[in-house]
Amino acid sequence: VQLQASGGGLVQAGGSLRLSCAASGSTLRLNDMGWHRQAPGKQRELVATIGSFGRTNYGDTVKGRFTISRDNAKNTVYMQMNSLKLEDTAVYYCNADGWSGSSYYSNIWGQGTQVTVSS
């Protein structure tokens, strides 16, 4: 199972970006999907997660600004990021767990996509 993230880039403070992360593999049944981020010199932190039935959880720093969603038919998770702040600058990583055929995969990570917010 592989995760491919996309959608990062350079944006001005107050702007928006939409990240996507597509999972590939055979006969996928994904459970939780989510996003974490890591800024230079800081630990990786939770941004948001979404369960297979749509239950969401957000980190305190992004509540009210970011929205996570998923398309189960496409095995893809999205994150709409609005009102971006300088401190949102980080590499964003998607992750997931779930089944591919009869094999269970825990804590799969994508390659990361850079989000840079400028003043």
Side-chain angles (χ1 to χ4, degrees), residues 33-115:
M33 303 183 78
W35 294 91
H36 288 67
R37 68 186 181 186
Q38 188 166 19
K42 295 188 176 180
Q43 289 188 332
R44 190 171 295 191
E45 66 171 350
L46 168 72
V47 180
T49 62
I50 184 167
S52 56
F53 294 105
R55 184 174 67 179
T56 58
N57 179 50
Y58 293 92
D60 289 340
T61 57
V62 305
K63 284 180 181 177
R65 299 187 298 121
F66 291 10
T67 302
I68 190 170
S69 61
R70 63 189 287 171
D71 184 333
N72 290 332
K74 295 181 179 179
N75 293 313
T76 299
V77 61
Y78 306 96
M79 191 159 66
Q80 178 67 42
M81 306 186 294
N82 298 329
S83 302
L84 283 160
K85 303 177 180 180
L86 297 179
E87 53 264 40
D88 294 319
T89 295
V91 178
Y92 285 69
Y93 298 90
C94 58
N95 71 298
D97 58 65
W99 295 87
S100 177
S102 60
S103 298
Y104 185 77
Y105 292 84
S106 176
N107 224 17
I108 310 159
W109 290 90
Q111 86 285 6
T113 185
Q114 176 71 45
V115 172

